[in-house]
């Protein structure tokens, strides 16, 4: 074999090593020297690299080989033979003419669908191993521009630099950024991840499992089937492990990530000097744009748009814990009081309610609970559920043993002398049991919750249910059977503002015993939907 | 922002998109020659495109976009080299100049080579095509591919190089014979 042929073969070998990231410093020097001393080698080098890129382009249009093909073609004996032959193989020539052994037809292109390897890996590997694989796979996968990978599933006042966005329109991956100048945009990626962008923002769609945020804010909601969804920023990558997180990229490129649910992996720093760390629910991290260093910051509640609904013109910046893991519960959320921000409780204080940041429910990221003294409460401006419409009321409560219980949530008229009037009241009774009452009707649960510990409590009534006998109670996410009931009167509640704890209504009516809650309450939610047992369990942080 | 400014911005955006789309693979190929490792090249390409987008206002419409973009890519590669002191493959300044000059010539016919390659791929044996698909469609590293099929990594490197060289010669022949316009 000629010396030139030897050199070319050596160059090919070195290029392949370099492309794999496996070249040693000595081999790198050898390649550099060969390129400097032989113009033909340099030409060959450029052509070889270009050819490799073109093979990748073509590969993007080839269907993924199926399993049968593996077993047919990857016969071990055949490969053993190949391995042996390769040691002294002559230069290979392709036939000049003849029928194609394998054509790449448009039909084949149409049927090709990228395999979602993330699902397989997530199912088979530990989370840590999955992260490593996901990063490597995502980085290897070539960008194939022009493929539809997501859908605009909602938009509200969304304006782009080159026009408006339309619900239902398909989004292709692009090599250039999309500019959202104002409004809200929700993209649903084909593998299931949902991303909510708040203008102004600049972002790039890379694939059905990957995007890039160049500036602005987003919230990503990643269901189990889309685990592995990745968002890159100029200084970091967040790889989701089934969660909800928000990201903000500042003008200087610094990134902050806030994790509301689940787990994720954060990779930061420049290529070759990356560091990674896991993030869990309730944590927030900031990545310095210059150094790439990761630091802890407080989780910022209310800073990001967590959900929006263009039909209802509603934007949610805070969501109850657990709702992020439910597909649709948030759409039926009528009211939510996190009690985390005393300056903005979303209600008018009655009496002297106090916000306490020390004794609070065991929820990651929770900041404060509301302390009630039996004469205090919050009068909200949110109407409760009327008539016999579906409803779910839930809250975290802590009531000391021996106290007389009291009202958690109530709304409607409370007529003096007509017992409970038409005020719908969800409360803890004098025995420490859950109780829902309206007019003379009531239902009472079984488990005592007045024991000085934090409990998640909930009551559910199905659409059209008029009997207190058919409501459902839950304590700590577990069904709590009804122990006593009176359903003389129908559940027919009024459309009236909700009160939390003791209220102006009770005060005006002169009620004193049984309504004055002394204890702590937090994460109060009202849904216009009868949540399922699974959804209640999620709210209870199970 | 007034309406005229908005229209002008929208027009510039479209212009950028068009120019980038037309020259994307030439830029990608250029970066790969200087940073052959796919993952790192992707980083450099992304940062180059972002930089171009941010500085497109400085690009004069009647000047040569490709030349402007190559300069930015080269600058981004050099920045990457600086950041990656421990990077195993860093071409010397002289080698970069030689590669840049050669790449300019090679990139002229990039699309013709692509068309020729499409035709040449049809002549590959089933076995070699499958090898390429597992390497590129499934994005398997050569090491994992070699492990799976029980050959040494070196043999896998050589086999891949042999397939590529066969394709390269086929592409040359097609271009020389005028099969591809």
């Amino acid at each position: 074999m000629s010396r030139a042929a030897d050199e070319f073969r050596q160059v090919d070998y070195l290029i392949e090593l370099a492309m794999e990231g496996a070249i040693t410093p000595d081999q790198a020097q050898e390649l550099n020297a060969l390129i400097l001393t032989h113009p033909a080698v340099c030409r060959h080098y450029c052509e070889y690299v270009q050819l490799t890129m073109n093979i990748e382009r073509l590969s993007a249009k080839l269907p993924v080989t199926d399993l049968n093909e593996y077993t047919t073609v990857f016969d071990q004996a055949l490969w053993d033979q190949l391995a042996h032959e390769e040691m002294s193989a002559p230069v290979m020539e392709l036939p000049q003419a003849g029928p194609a052994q394998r054509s790449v037809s448009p039909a084949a292109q149409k049927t090709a669908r990228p395999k979602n390897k993330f699902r397989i890996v997530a199912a088979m590997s530990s989370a840590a191993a999955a992260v490593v694989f996901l990063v490597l796979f995502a980085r290897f996968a070539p960008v194939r521009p022009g493929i539809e990978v997501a859908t605009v599933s909602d938009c509200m006042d969304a304006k782009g630099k080159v026009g408006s966005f339309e619900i239902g329109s398909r989004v292709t991956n692009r090599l250039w950024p999309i500019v959202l100048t104002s409004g809200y945009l929700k993209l649903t990626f084909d593998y299931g991840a949902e991303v909510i962008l708040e203008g102004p923002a600049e972002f790039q769609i890379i694939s059905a499992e990957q995007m890039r945020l160049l500036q602005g804010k987003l919230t990503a909601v990643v269901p189990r089937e889309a685990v592995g969804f990745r968002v890159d920023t100029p200084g970091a990558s967040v790889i989701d492990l089934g969660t909800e997180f928000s990201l903000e990229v500042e003008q200087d490129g610094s990134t902050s990530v806030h994790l509301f649910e689940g787990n994720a992996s954060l990779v930061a720093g420049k290529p070759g000097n990356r560091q990674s760390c896991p993030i869990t629910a309730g944590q927030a991290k900031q990545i310095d744009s210059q150094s790439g260093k990761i630091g802890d910051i407080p989780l910022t509640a209310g800073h990001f748009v967590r959900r929006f609904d263009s039909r209802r013109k509603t934007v949610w910046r805070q969501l109850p814990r657990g709702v992020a893991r439910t597909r649709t519960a948030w759409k039926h959320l009528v009211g939510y009081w996190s009690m985390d921000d005393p300056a903005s409780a979303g209600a008018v204080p009655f009496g002297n309610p106090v916000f306490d940041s020390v004794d609070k429910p065991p929820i990651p990221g929770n900041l404060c609970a509301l302390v009630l003294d039996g004469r205090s409460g919050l009068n909200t401006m949110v109407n409760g559920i009327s008539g016999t419409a579906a409803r779910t009321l839930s809250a975290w409560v802590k009531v000391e043993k021996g106290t007389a219980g009291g009202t958690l949530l109530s709304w409607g008229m409370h007529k003096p002398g007509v017992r409970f009037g038409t005020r719908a009241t969800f409360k803890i009774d004098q025995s420490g049991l859950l109780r829902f009452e309206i007019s003379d009707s009531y239902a009472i649960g079984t488990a005592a919750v007045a024991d000085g510990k934090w409990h998640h409590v909930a009551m559910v009534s199905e659409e059209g249910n008029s009997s207190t006998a058919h409501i459902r109670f839950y304590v700590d996410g577990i069904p709590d059977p009804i122990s006593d009931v009176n359903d003389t009167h129908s559940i027919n509640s009024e459309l009236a503002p909700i009160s939390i704890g003791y209220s102006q209504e009770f005060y005006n009516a002169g009620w004193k015993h049984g309504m004055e809650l002394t204890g702590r309450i937090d994460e109060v939610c009202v849904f216009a939907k009868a949540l399922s047992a699974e959804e209640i369990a999620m709210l209870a942080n199970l | 922002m007034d309406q005229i400014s908005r229209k002008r911005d929208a027009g510039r955006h479209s212009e950028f998109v068009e120019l980038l789309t037309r020259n994307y693979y030439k830029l990608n190929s250029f970066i790969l020659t200087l940073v052959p490792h796919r993952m790192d090249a992707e980083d450099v390409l992304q940062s180059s495109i972002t930089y171009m987008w941010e500085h497109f206002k400085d690009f004069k419409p009647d000047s040569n976009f490709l030349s402007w973009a190559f300069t930015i890519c080269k600058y981004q590669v050099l920045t990457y080299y600086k950041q990656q002191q421990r990077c195993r493959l860093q071409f010397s300044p002289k080698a970069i100049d030689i590669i840049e000059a050669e790449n300019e010539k090679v990139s002229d016919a990039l699309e013709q080579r692509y068309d020729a390659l499409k035709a040449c791929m049809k002549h590959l044996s089933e076995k070699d095509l499958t090898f390429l698909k597992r390497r590129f469609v499934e994005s398997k590293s050569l090491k994992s591919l070699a492990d799976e099929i029980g050959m040494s990594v070196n043999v896998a490197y050589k086999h891949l190089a042999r397939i590529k060289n066969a394709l390269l010669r086929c592409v040359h022949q097609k271009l020389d014979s005028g099969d591809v316009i």
Side-chain angles (χ1 to χ4, degrees):
Chain A
M1 193 176 294
S2 70
R3 189 182 161 193
D6 276 348
E7 281 174 348
F8 271 55
R9 289 192 78 164
Q10 180 63 5
V11 167
D12 296 343
Y13 178 58
L14 294 174
I15 298 171
E16 292 298 341
L17 287 175
M19 286 179 163
E20 289 278 311
I23 196 166
T24 65
D26 286 346
Q27 288 168 330
Q29 275 199 351
E30 187 186 354
L31 181 60
N32 194 77
L34 283 166
I35 284 171
L36 279 174
T37 50
H38 300 285
V41 166
C42 185
R43 173 98 185 173
H44 174 73
Y45 173 76
C46 290
E47 287 182 347
Y48 193 97
V49 170
Q50 189 191 81
L51 178 100
T52 303
M53 185 200 69
N54 276 338
I55 292 174
E56 286 184 8
R57 287 172 70 185
L58 274 172
S59 299
K61 297 177 180 174
L62 290 174
V64 174
T65 316
D66 63 29
L67 199 60
N68 290 335
E69 198 171 355
Y70 289 170
T71 50
T72 310
V73 179
F74 277 76
D75 172 69
Q76 193 57 52
L78 187 69
W79 285 106
D80 287 346
Q81 188 187 356
L82 170 72
H84 178 73
E85 283 173 358
E86 199 61 55
M87 302 297 180
S88 55
V91 173
M92 194 165 103
E93 293 297 343
L94 294 178
Q96 283 297 296
Q101 293 181 26
R102 186 171 195 81
S103 63
V104 185
S105 69
Q109 289 179 34
K110 276 184 186 174
T111 54
R113 186 184 183 282
K115 272 187 177 175
N116 186 356
K117 293 187 176 179
F118 299 118
R119 291 179 208 165
I120 301 166
V121 171
M124 294 173 62
S125 310
S126 68
V131 169
V132 173
F133 182 82
L134 295 170
V135 172
L136 290 176
F137 179 83
R139 301 312 301 260
F140 261 109
V143 175
R144 303 168 190 174
I147 299 170
E148 290 182 347
V149 295
T151 304
V152 175
S153 45
D154 201 358
C155 60
M156 197 163 109
D157 308 322
K159 298 274 189 300
K161 200 155 190 172
V162 288
S164 300
F165 298 90
E166 284 183 18
I167 296 174
S169 60
R170 297 282 288 156
V171 181
T172 54
N173 62 345
R174 295 160 184 240
L175 305 169
W176 51 90
I178 299 171
V179 179
L180 176 68
T181 50
S182 61
Y184 310 105
L185 181 67
K186 184 167 112 180
L187 300 175
T188 301
F189 284 76
D190 287 356
Y191 287 164
E194 290 183 345
V195 172
I196 294 158
L197 290 136
E198 181 180 359
E202 199 170 322
F203 59 97
Q204 188 184 358
I205 305 295
I206 296 173
S207 73
E209 290 162 309
Q210 188 184 355
M211 68 174 291
R212 190 176 167 86
L213 180 67
L214 299 166
Q215 203 173 314
K217 291 190 280 188
L218 68 72
T219 294
V221 184
V222 183
R224 189 187 296 260
E225 64 269 22
V227 161
F229 182 75
R230 175 180 143 190
V231 183
D232 294 337
T233 72
S237 295
V238 180
I239 299 126
D240 195 287
L241 301 173
T243 185
E244 175 176 344
F245 65 86
S246 291
L247 271 177
E248 180 169 22
V249 178
E250 307 276 3
Q251 277 194 330
D252 67 355
S254 62
T255 300
S256 59
V257 52
H258 300 249
L259 198 81
F260 298 108
E261 297 276 356
N263 297 288
S265 184
L266 173 66
V267 182
K270 306 289 182 192
N273 186 28
R274 289 204 162 98
Q275 53 173 319
S276 65
C277 72
I279 325 175
T280 54
Q283 288 188 324
K285 306 275 183 187
Q286 185 152 42
I287 301 95
D288 184 85
S289 60
Q290 296 301 313
S291 65
K293 282 186 180 167
I294 303 172
D296 289 328
I297 54 169
L299 187 89
T300 312
H303 185 58
F304 297 95
V305 172
R306 304 275 302 277
R307 302 287 187 282
F308 71 89
D309 187 340
S310 61
R311 282 178 303 174
R312 293 163 64 192
K313 288 280 175 194
T314 313
V315 175
W316 294 99
R317 287 188 180 272
Q318 281 193 289
L319 282 178
R321 282 277 307 168
V323 161
R325 284 189 281 155
T326 67
R327 269 279 182 196
T328 57
W330 66 270
K331 287 185 180 173
H332 305 277
L333 191 60
V334 171
Y336 169 54
W337 297 270
S338 70
M339 311 298 179
D340 285 340
D341 185 2
S344 178
V348 179
F350 178 74
N352 186 31
V354 177
F355 292 87
D356 178 21
S357 61
V358 179
D359 189 359
K360 54 195 181 182
I363 303 172
N366 188 23
L367 300 178
C368 288
L370 185 70
V371 186
L372 300 175
D373 59 4
R375 297 182 298 278
S376 306
L378 294 176
N379 290 321
T380 81
M381 286 149 278
V382 176
N383 283 333
I385 311 296
S386 65
T388 57
R391 70 199 64 186
T392 298
L393 316 177
S394 77
W396 281 87
V397 289
K398 182 181 178 184
V399 178
E400 295 302 326
K401 199 181 267 184
T403 58
T407 305
L408 305 174
L409 280 159
S410 61
W411 69 92
M413 285 293 289
H414 195 296
K415 294 173 189 163
V418 193
R419 197 163 165 75
F420 302 111
T422 49
R423 191 165 179 84
T425 306
F426 180 38
K427 58 179 285 190
I428 295 170
D429 75 2
Q430 293 178 357
S431 304
L433 309 177
L434 294 185
R435 177 178 173 123
F436 177 76
E437 60 194 24
I438 185 165
S439 301
D440 282 333
S441 296
Y442 60 84
I444 299 173
T446 305
V449 295
D451 58 0
K453 294 176 183 169
W454 279 105
H455 291 284
H456 183 264
V457 298
M459 72 78 61
V460 178
S461 182
E462 300 285 344
E463 178 69 31
N465 173 40
S466 61
S467 169
T468 47
H470 297 128
I471 66 171
R472 290 183 271 131
F473 289 122
Y474 293 87
V475 174
D476 296 328
I478 298 165
D480 180 35
I482 290 175
S483 61
D484 190 11
V485 70
N486 177 339
D487 62 351
T488 317
H489 288 93
S490 161
I491 295 176
N492 187 16
S493 47
E494 295 172 358
L495 193 67
I498 297 165
S499 295
I500 298 167
Y502 199 61
S503 71
Q504 184 77 49
E505 277 290 321
F506 290 129
Y507 180 80
N508 292 344
W511 269 91
K512 283 186 179 169
H513 299 288
M515 296 300 180
E516 308 92 323
L517 183 75
T518 302
R520 290 161 187 272
I521 189 165
D522 201 359
E523 298 287 311
V524 180
C525 303
V526 176
F527 295 88
K529 183 195 177 204
L531 296 189
S532 66
E534 288 77 15
E535 288 169 326
I536 296 289
M538 286 179 187
L539 281 177
N541 206 26
L542 292 180
Chain B
M1 190 186 290
D2 59 38
Q3 203 172 1
I4 296 170
S5 302
R6 272 200 298 271
K7 278 187 180 171
R8 193 172 55 227
D9 270 9
R12 290 291 277 165
H13 181 269
S14 305
E15 186 189 354
F16 176 75
V17 168
E18 191 192 330
L19 287 167
L20 184 63
T21 309
R22 202 187 306 155
N23 294 289
Y24 173 73
Y25 289 110
K26 289 180 180 176
L27 300 174
N28 192 6
S29 174
F30 175 54
I31 289 172
L32 274 169
T33 55
L34 299 176
V35 184
H37 192 215
R38 197 78 190 80
M39 286 153 62
D40 296 343
E42 194 185 307
D43 276 336
V44 176
L45 182 64
Q46 288 290 348
S47 59
S48 300
I49 290 173
T50 305
Y51 190 93
M52 282 178 223
W53 167 247
E54 286 169 354
H55 294 81
F56 191 59
K57 58 182 182 299
D58 303 329
F59 172 71
K60 291 173 187 164
D62 52 351
S63 54
N64 186 332
F65 175 80
L66 193 58
S67 167
W68 179 75
F70 273 151
T71 306
I72 288 173
C73 290
K74 184 179 169 185
Y75 167 78
Q76 292 295 327
V77 168
L78 293 174
T79 305
Y80 166 79
Y81 279 179
K82 265 186 205 166
Q83 288 168 346
Q84 305 301 302
Q85 297 295 334
R86 288 178 300 167
C87 173
R88 285 174 173 173
L89 178 57
Q90 293 203 5
F91 288 110
S92 64
K94 199 174 174 189
I96 291 173
D97 288 344
I98 293 172
I99 290 170
E100 187 183 10
E102 196 61 52
N103 182 75
E104 209 169 313
K105 295 177 208 163
V106 172
S107 72
D108 279 347
L110 189 144
E111 291 308 318
Q112 287 97 315
R113 287 167 192 273
Y114 176 72
D115 290 339
L117 178 65
K118 269 196 278 193
C120 291
M121 291 272 275
K122 293 175 184 172
H123 300 309
L124 279 179
S125 71
E126 187 82 4
K127 183 183 67 186
D128 290 339
L129 186 66
T130 306
F131 191 90
L132 285 187
K133 281 164 80 174
R134 295 199 76 179
R135 170 68 184 86
F136 294 104
V137 180
E138 298 174 47
S139 301
K140 280 188 186 296
S141 72
L142 269 181
K143 184 175 182 323
S144 64
L145 195 51
D147 286 347
E148 274 182 32
I149 58 183
M151 61 165 60
S152 77
V153 184
N154 276 349
V155 171
Y157 279 130
K158 286 175 182 172
H159 184 63
L160 183 59
R162 227 158 56 83
I163 297 171
K164 285 186 187 175
N165 271 308
L167 289 169
L168 206 51
R169 276 189 299 278
C170 175
V171 167
H172 280 166
Q173 283 164 0
K174 288 211 175 288
L175 289 178
D176 292 346
S177 67
D179 279 1
V180 179
I181 298 169

